[in-house]
Amino acid sequence: MPDRGGGPTGPRMRVGRPSRRVRTLLMTLGVLAVLGMAFTMFAGFWTDWLWYRSVKYSSVFTTTLWTKIGLFFVFGLLMALAVGFNIWLAHRLRPPLSAMSMEQQSLDRYRMGIAPYKKWLLLGITALVGLIAGASASGQWRTWLMWVNGVSFGQKDPQFHLDVSFYAFDLPWYRFLLGFGFAAAILSVIAAALTHYLYGGLRITSPGARATAAATGHLSVLLGIFVALKAVAYWLDRYGLAVKSSDFKATDNWTGLRYVDANAYLPAKTILFCIAVICALLFFATLWRRTWQLPVIGFGLMVLSAILIGGLYPAIVQKFQVQPNEQAKEAPYVEKNLKATREAYGIDGAKVTEYSGKGSTEDKTKLRDDVDATASIRIMDPNIVSPTFQQLQQMRKYYAFPNNLDVDRYSKDGKDQDTVIGLRELNLAGVDKQNWINNHFRYTHGYGVVAAKGATADAEGRPVFTESDLPSKGDLPTYQQRIYYGEKTSTYSIVGGPQKEIDYSDDNGEKTTTYTGKSGVNLSNPVNRAAYAVAFGEPQILYSGAIGEGSRILYNRTPKERVEAVAPWLTIDGDAYPAVVNGKIQWIVDAYTTTNGYPYASRTTLGDTTADSLTATNNSRAVVAQQNQVNYIRNSVKATVDAYTGDVKLYQWDTKDPVLKTWMKAFPGTVKPKTDISSSLMAHLRYPQDLFKVQRELLSRYHVKDATTFLSGSEVWQVPDDPTNKSGNAVPPYYLSMKMPDQAQQAFSLTTTFTPNGRDNLSAFMSVDAEAGTGDYGKIRILKLPTSTTVDGPKQVQSQFNSEQDIAESIRLLRGGDSEVEYGNLLTVPLDGGLLYVEPVYVRGGGLKYPLLRKVLVTYGGTTAFEDTLDEALNKVFGAEGATPQPPDEGGTKPPPASDNPTVQEALNDAQKAFEDGQKALEAKDWTKYGEAQKDLEDALQRAEDAQAEADKKAGSGKGTSSPSPSATPGGKPSSSPSGKPSSSPSG
């Protein structure tokens, strides 16, 4: 046929269909996109598996993975079957003919439209609900493992007499099953109702019956299942009353039954359970009686009963029975709450002792001798002196110390001493040239421990280091100093390959090393390299020449990250601390087992309870679990992380904890027995701060044991705000070696104070024996101050310090110029019936960027001293100025002795004059004359030393033992800067 369109002849053009080349390209791109997504998912899975295998905790990965997969498929399949079956059944029960109405004619178009795709639509809907349900169920892996592995607590609740394990392990799983059942029933009702409506089984506007008999029976059974589940919910709610939180003026987060619960809600739940069972049977009866009348009436009665019996009746009981005589009605239930809460938080053994707060010994000179036996008073505040460590011991810009150092015990000459300790960790921000090779291959680790005496400062106010320099040396035995895993190590490093690492630098230049540990994942395999390149978003990992045979990638390098990963069922303490153990630096991490299901025990929010002035001002000092609410906690695991190899070890600490036993059944072999803890490690274990803070918060109310006092609120305490700063947050607890009144000798302890609610005077002093391996470890002692008299609390003591005219004037002078005054930890020590307060005062200024100890504040029995050293302040407070002086601290504070040698004596006289000239120049802020005086001082001391040595030589006795040290000056003032050179400017 000729073309009549007037257009060109020839084959017709196919408009809108892409060419074969375009289709091939699109198909290729689509396949590549799918492969890319698949490999991305594989990379995440594969790198996780490799990491867990590298730390030898692959069983944790596989157990968790298979549990999640099992829950996903089981509950996903159950949900898909429930919804799919009811859609299929509703379609099967459709009426053969639809009514002739506009409604049905409109639906005919939809029925015809989906007719060719019915199977695919059914599969799609069931797959979607199955995926959602499976994903939700997989998140319940902890609940499942605790239910299937739960062990008995050996304690029963006082109301239903069921083992606590029912509430902690069983009830959460039953509630999950119930929630899943409700979701399946509701989705099935909705899916079945829509299907019946689409195919004419349900009609809204059509003439005749609104529902067919088949649709009525089907939906009635589903609604009956829903109501039956509601009956089960009512029955479980009875037990839920034992772990229910409610508002109660006696305490926040009250948990457990009260009078109205036991006498109104409990019988109401039982009655509602019976009504729901009857209502469910009425719905099931519609299979024989195809009418909605009886089940609808029954359902209405159930709703009305829930309002009247479950809501109105308890309100009447509360209003007319409880409120007129609340103390008498609530007392039995308060006693149950008191007992359960004290047991759940491990404070039931707290010993409360009356304490006068007023010293009883009239001879204060004798008390001066008792101070040293009572406490090793720490004047080096680990939360203040980090910048001093940084300035004096950083050595290189790419090293750094944490903002808050740690306190530990180390032995010297057979005697334990409190030690402030920090690690010289890697700080990539200090690397001059930032690039991928430097950040991940060359600068890979920190180096060495730096430690200082806690109770001593040198004459300039600096720490007296017991381990220092680079490489570190001092009192500690030989140990592996390289730190590949630490609190500041947040990025990955690739080690062990062809690229050398910077080990450390000294006067001879940079020294390099190659990591020889077995930590990390091997990158020799190209699949591993590709997986990490995708997982870390760094393509250079795939092709970089710096990676070769032996290269290993280290990541998840902070101690908390590693312990959380290998034990995801533990709650980790906010402060990991280092210790040198058996030639290795070990990070020690305290870990907790918790539950929210201990009957009658009041709940606490861990994030709020463990916050204090340190966590508010320093991001590096974290809090545990943030908003995790619990009502049972145990420090059940002590974990260690090797700073060089990254090895993680978990040790069972609380051998009686049923929650830990449950997790040990779920993850066998992951936790080592307590007997595996070596004696050298045991010496550094301590009572954890976060557990102590949780317990002190609970003890502010739960130190009382009788319900009447508890309900009256007259004995409520509070943790005071930190008086040394303006953060407005709670004072942190302090580690201190001290002796409580009932102890025979000092013990490493964790201490805190309490004040009355809304007042500033002292209510109580609390300590816990923090020294692991001793019989009294974990024993809580509380000294309760009398309510009839007032004893100054921390805020009042700080105010007293600041208000005394002489002290205020001294503080003003210390702040002269651009100097800043920083108050250290305000330590409280019980002494002879009274309380000794000690607070170090630091000054940062005069050209220095770090704080130095300049003064010590001491008060006891209303007498206050503000002196250069702790000894001087104690002597003044206790009237013992003439007492025998203490031996000089390291660094030299004792003036050189007089000499019978005239030449030596003349030189010492010149030194004394030079020192006095320097002090006058310092007061006048004449830095030039001060520098000249310092030089004269050094020359005079050197002449004295040379003259004494010459005299000793002539006498044939060698160098004299009494020769003055050139590092010590008259008056106990040092003559040199930290570098050993004469100082030409004032130090603060």
Side-chain angles (χ1 to χ4, degrees):
M1 293 287 293
D3 181 15
R4 299 179 182 274
T9 59
R12 295 184 179 180
M13 300 294 292
R14 295 183 178 180
V15 181
R17 184 176 182 182
S19 65
R20 179 178 297 177
R21 180 178 298 177
V22 174
R23 293 200 305 273
T24 303
L25 178 61
L26 292 174
M27 186 175 296
T28 303
L29 291 175
V31 171
L32 290 176
V34 171
L35 290 176
M37 288 188 292
F39 189 78
T40 300
M41 296 174 62
F42 166 78
F45 165 80
W46 185 243
T47 53
D48 285 347
W49 162 248
L50 291 174
W51 187 85
Y52 275 96
R53 192 174 65 174
S54 74
V55 294
K56 299 179 177 60
Y57 282 88
S58 54
S59 62
V60 174
F61 179 81
T62 53
T63 299
T64 305
L65 178 65
W66 286 117
T67 302
K68 290 179 178 179
I69 290 174
L71 292 172
F72 177 86
F73 279 105
V74 168
F75 286 94
L77 186 61
L78 285 175
M79 183 65 77
L81 288 175
V83 176
F85 172 76
N86 282 287
I87 292 175
W88 172 84
L89 185 60
H91 179 266
R92 183 72 177 263
L93 297 176
R94 68 189 185 278
L97 297 174
S98 59
M100 297 301 295
S101 65
M102 292 298 296
E103 179 186 23
Q104 293 303 314
Q105 290 177 15
S106 298
L107 291 173
D108 277 340
R109 290 195 294 271
Y110 292 105
R111 288 193 284 265
M112 293 174 61
I114 65 173
Y117 312 106
K118 284 192 293 186
K119 290 183 179 180
W120 291 107
L121 189 61
L122 177 62
L123 288 174
I125 292 173
T126 55
L128 178 62
V129 297
L131 287 171
I132 295 173
S136 175
S138 66
Q140 298 293 322
W141 64 272
R142 289 181 177 86
T143 308
W144 161 260
L145 287 176
M146 292 184 80
W147 178 68
V148 78
N149 295 288
V151 301
S152 172
F153 272 68
Q155 291 176 292
K156 295 184 178 181
D157 78 282
Q159 182 66 39
F160 301 101
H161 307 292
L162 297 174
D163 191 89
V164 173
S165 60
F166 171 80
Y167 302 94
F169 305 141
D170 299 344
L171 190 58
W173 178 249
Y174 297 153
R175 281 176 163 168
F176 163 72
L177 291 178
L178 187 63
F180 178 84
F182 275 125
I186 292 171
L187 288 175
S188 296
V189 167
I190 293 172
L194 290 174
T195 306
H196 280 299
Y197 176 70
L198 182 63
Y199 287 95
L202 291 177
R203 307 182 186 101
I204 297 177
T205 60
S206 301
R210 293 286 184 249
T212 62
T216 300
H218 184 196
L219 294 177
S220 294
V221 169
L222 291 177
L223 291 173
I225 293 173
F226 177 85
V227 176
L229 290 172
K230 188 62 180 174
V232 175
Y234 282 133
W235 189 255
L236 288 181
D237 284 347
R238 298 169 68 255
Y239 303 110
L241 292 172
V243 290
K244 183 193 74 170
S245 289
S246 59
D247 294 330
F248 189 31
K249 68 178 183 180
T251 181
D252 297 330
N253 294 317
W254 169 275
T255 301
L257 286 83
R258 290 157 50 198
Y259 181 90
V260 70
D261 297 312
N263 295 278
Y265 280 111
L266 187 57
K269 298 292 183 182
T270 305
I271 295 171
L272 289 172
F273 164 76
C274 298
I275 293 173
V277 169
I278 295 171
C279 186
L281 294 175
L282 292 176
F283 273 105
F284 293 142
T286 56
L287 287 172
W288 295 274
R289 290 174 51 86
R290 301 302 177 99
T291 174
W292 291 90
Q293 186 176 5
L294 286 178
V296 167
I297 293 174
F299 187 77
L301 288 174
M302 187 181 74
V303 173
L304 183 62
S305 300
I307 295 172
L308 295 178
I309 302 175
L312 185 59
Y313 174 63
I316 293 173
V317 171
Q318 178 68 24
K319 180 71 174 176
F320 296 102
Q321 290 190 32
V322 178
Q323 289 184 4
N325 192 17
E326 187 173 40
Q327 287 205 356
K329 296 290 187 183
E330 300 288 15
Y333 304 95
V334 170
E335 288 176 358
K336 296 175 184 178
N337 176 271
L338 285 169
K339 183 175 183 295
T341 302
R342 291 170 62 87
E343 290 172 349
Y345 290 95
I347 57 177
D348 49 326
K351 180 182 178 182
V352 180
T353 305
E354 298 294 331
Y355 193 72
S356 67
K358 305 292 184 182
S360 59
T361 302
E362 295 183 2
D363 184 5
K364 285 192 174 183
T365 305
K366 179 182 179 301
L367 283 183
R368 173 65 186 91
D369 298 330
D370 292 342
V371 172
D372 294 330
T374 301
S376 175
I377 298 175
R378 180 172 41 76
I379 56 176
M380 283 289 111
D381 187 346
N383 309 308
I384 296 289
V385 299
S386 179
T388 308
F389 272 52
Q390 187 84 357
Q391 184 72 19
L392 303 180
Q393 290 295 321
Q394 179 187 21
M395 304 303 182
R396 295 293 182 269
K397 289 195 300 182
Y398 48 81
Y399 293 133
F401 293 92
N403 294 335
N404 303 100
L405 303 176
D406 289 290
V407 178
D408 203 349
R409 296 93 67 216
Y410 285 88
S411 181
K412 178 72 179 294
D413 298 329
K415 182 180 179 182
D416 285 347
Q417 61 184 13
D418 290 359
T419 302
V420 178
I421 185 171
L423 300 188
R424 193 184 285 112
E425 294 191 46
L426 178 66
N427 175 31
L428 286 176
V431 176
D432 290 330
K433 190 175 181 180
Q434 298 277 341
N435 57 53
W436 189 63
I437 293 295
N438 277 346
N439 291 353
H440 300 288
F441 290 81
R442 287 178 56 76
Y443 295 93
T444 58
H445 59 279
Y447 208 98
V449 170
V450 176
K453 291 184 177 181
T456 304
D458 73 6
E460 275 195 355
R462 300 172 302 188
V464 176
F465 292 109
T466 57
E467 188 79 8
S468 58
D469 299 333
L470 184 66
S472 294
K473 55 184 177 291
D475 293 345
L476 296 178
T478 303
Y479 61 97
Q480 171 57 263
Q481 298 199 19
R482 297 174 182 90
I483 303 162
Y484 283 86
Y485 295 88
E487 290 181 303
K488 287 182 169 292
T489 317
S490 56
T491 188
Y492 69 89
S493 289
I494 299 176
V495 298
Q499 178 65 57
K500 291 289 186 180
E501 310 163 44
I502 293 177
D503 203 18
Y504 63 90
S505 301
D506 58 16
D507 294 338
N508 298 320
E510 288 183 351
K511 298 188 181 299
T512 59
T513 188
T514 298
Y515 183 69
T516 58
K518 301 301 181 184
S519 181
V521 177
N522 197 322
L523 291 180
S524 300
N525 187 328
V527 175
N528 291 357
R529 292 178 67 171
Y532 279 102
V534 172
F536 287 6
E538 183 47 73
Q540 293 187 77
I541 294 177
L542 186 60
Y543 56 78
S544 174
I547 301 175
E549 190 66 29
S551 291
R552 311 179 74 84
I553 184 168
L554 314 180
Y555 62 105
N556 286 351
R557 297 170 70 183
T558 68
K560 287 182 63 178
E561 282 179 327
R562 295 182 79 76
V563 176
E564 283 175 338
V566 303
W569 35 273
L570 289 173
T571 299
I572 309 302
D573 189 90
D575 184 30
Y577 62 98
V580 178
V581 180
N582 295 331
K584 299 176 181 178
I585 299 174
Q586 297 281 357
W587 287 100
I588 299 175
V589 183
D590 286 287
Y592 310 105
T593 48
T594 63
T595 181
N596 196 26
Y598 198 99
Y600 271 103
S602 290
R603 291 181 171 85
T604 187
T605 304
L606 291 183
D608 296 337
T609 308
T610 57
D612 58 29
S613 62
L614 295 184
T615 62
T617 57
N618 295 296
N619 294 330
S620 62
R621 180 62 177 93
V623 296
V624 299
Q626 298 300 328
Q627 297 306 311
N628 185 16
Q629 266 211 341
V630 303
N631 67 351
Y632 172 94
I633 185 170
R634 289 290 186 273
N635 176 213
S636 52
V637 171
K638 301 283 188 181
T640 62
V641 178
D642 192 296
Y644 182 74
T645 65
D647 287 345
V648 181
K649 293 181 180 178
L650 308 176
Y651 296 99
Q652 182 183 16
W653 184 248
D654 190 331
T655 57
K656 298 179 180 179
D657 178 28
V659 181
L660 178 60
K661 291 179 180 179
T662 295
W663 286 119
M664 290 175 69
K665 281 182 64 179
F667 296 96
T670 57
V671 181
K672 298 178 181 296
K674 187 176 184 178
T675 52
D676 283 6
I677 299 177
S678 65
S679 58
S680 53
L681 174 59
M682 184 71 76
H684 295 283
L685 299 182
R686 68 188 191 188
Y687 202 82
Q689 290 186 63
D690 285 333
L691 176 60
F692 183 76
K693 286 190 280 188
V694 170
Q695 290 175 326
R696 74 172 178 178
E697 183 66 30
L698 269 297
L699 279 167
S700 66
R701 289 180 179 272
Y702 286 89
H703 62 277
V704 301
K705 296 182 179 180
D706 63 287
T708 303
T709 306
F710 185 82
L711 284 169
S712 70
S714 60
E715 289 289 333
V716 175
W717 300 338
Q718 66 181 15
V719 179
D721 292 341
D722 192 343
T724 65
N725 58 56
K726 298 179 180 180
S727 67
N729 297 94
V731 62
Y734 296 122
Y735 286 106
L736 186 68
S737 289
M738 58 166 291
K739 181 175 68 174
M740 291 288 277
D742 65 334
Q743 291 179 288
Q745 58 186 7
Q746 290 184 23
F748 191 62
S749 305
L750 195 53
T751 65
T752 192
T753 53
F754 292 106
T755 58
N757 192 24
R759 295 168 60 195
D760 293 327
N761 56 291
L762 200 66
S763 284
F765 176 82
M766 171 183 170
S767 78
V768 64
D769 194 319
E771 198 159 346
T774 62
D776 279 352
Y777 172 82
K779 183 174 182 178
I780 298 174
R781 296 175 171 89
I782 299 175
L783 302 180
K784 183 175 179 295
L785 280 300
T787 56
S788 57
T789 60
T790 59
V791 177
D792 288 343
K795 187 175 180 180
Q796 291 172 322
V797 170
Q798 187 69 47
S799 178
Q800 181 182 344
F801 284 157
N802 297 337
S803 61
E804 288 205 12
Q805 185 174 353
D806 292 343
I807 296 177
E809 179 63 20
S810 299
I811 294 291
R812 188 187 67 80
L813 291 174
L814 289 174
R815 286 198 174 110
D818 60 351
S819 297
E820 296 178 7
V821 172
E822 297 183 32
Y823 293 101
N825 38 219
L826 179 58
L827 301 176
T828 308
V829 178
L831 179 67
D832 190 48
L835 292 163
L836 174 69
Y837 285 97
V838 179
E839 182 178 60
V841 178
Y842 299 83
V843 176
R844 187 199 301 248
L848 295 177
K849 299 179 180 178
Y850 57 95
L852 295 175
L853 179 67
R854 282 293 178 241
K855 294 284 185 179
V856 178
L857 284 161
V858 173
T859 185
Y860 181 84
T863 304
T864 301
F866 185 60
E867 302 298 327
D868 292 345
T869 68
L870 176 62
D871 282 338
E872 292 173 1
L874 290 172
N875 288 342
K876 183 174 181 180
V877 165
F878 295 107
E881 285 86 348
T884 303
Q886 298 295 313
D889 297 327
E890 294 183 25
T893 59
K894 187 177 180 181
S899 174
D900 295 332
N901 189 316
T903 307
V904 174
Q905 187 59 52
E906 182 182 359
L908 288 177
N909 292 338
D910 292 342
Q912 181 66 38
K913 183 177 184 304
F915 173 75
E916 293 171 356
D917 291 343
Q919 291 299 104
K920 292 177 181 178
L922 185 61
E923 292 176 3
K925 297 186 178 180
D926 189 334
W927 312 133
T928 302
K929 287 186 178 180
Y930 180 80
E932 293 173 354
Q934 289 291 89
K935 187 176 184 305
D936 293 342
L937 177 60
E938 185 180 17
D939 292 341
L941 288 172
Q942 187 62 49
R943 282 191 286 112
E945 184 177 16
D946 293 343
Q948 184 66 50
E950 182 66 25
D952 291 340
K953 184 178 180 181
K954 289 179 181 179
S957 59
K959 187 174 181 178
T961 57
S962 63
S963 60
S965 168
S967 64
T969 70
K973 303 298 180 182
S975 63
S976 61
S977 67
S979 64
K981 298 178 181 179
S983 173
S984 59
S985 63
S987 53

